[in-house]
Amino acid sequence: MNATDTHALDTTAPAEAPVRFDTKIAVILREDLEPWQRLNVTAFLVSGLGTRVPEVIGEPYEDADGVPYLPMFRQPVLVFEGTKETLTSAHAKALSRVLPRAVFTSDLFATGHDGANRAAVRAVPTGELDLVGLAVYGPKNAVDKVIKGARMHP
């Protein structure tokens, strides 16, 4: 065994430093949603980011028995809440900064499939969307400006 081999056996090596991201994934939910709606809206919103922003997706997982699992986001998703006005403001800021974003409107609770969801959003002008959720991704400082006024979800 040489000197480089002994390092591999050293169990006292310091733990890895925490990873810092220069980007942020944030979801803002309207504060008056029911618990089931919050979960449903969050799941739908983040699925949109994963399909259009490939750099947010990490590598696939595998357990010790070699069973493969799908990849997930490579960084945390921060969930916030705010008023209807907070969401409207955040939406306008995300649009002005041209950040990748996904929206969920109140109309989507009454639809039953993906095609109906798209039709419901398409039927309403941008400024009149009744937003209940917004997901946004981008440089940390830009996303922080978008979500200003929202508070961390309890």
Side-chain angles (χ1 to χ4, degrees), residues 74-131:
R74 66 180 181 90
Q75 68 188 90
V77 175
L78 302 172
V79 182
F80 298 84
E81 69 175 6
T83 63
K84 181 176 182 172
E85 295 76 24
T86 302
L87 269 113
T88 300
S89 174
H91 182 242
K93 292 174 194 172
L95 291 174
S96 71
R97 287 172 172 74
V98 195
L99 295 174
R101 66 218 165 257
V103 296
F104 198 104
T105 66
S106 63
D107 297 331
L108 302 187
F109 290 125
T111 60
H113 57 84
D114 189 50
N117 288 351
R118 284 193 309 281
V121 173
R122 180 168 294 174
V124 181
T126 304
E128 297 175 27
L129 292 170
D130 185 17
L131 297 169

Side-chain angles (χ1 to χ4, degrees), residues 23 25 46 49-51 53-58 72-75 137:
T23 57
I25 300 171
V46 297
L49 291 177
T51 62
V53 188
E55 65 267 23
V56 301
I57 303 297
M72 295 186 279
F73 289 128
R74 66 180 181 90
Q75 68 188 90
Y137 170 77

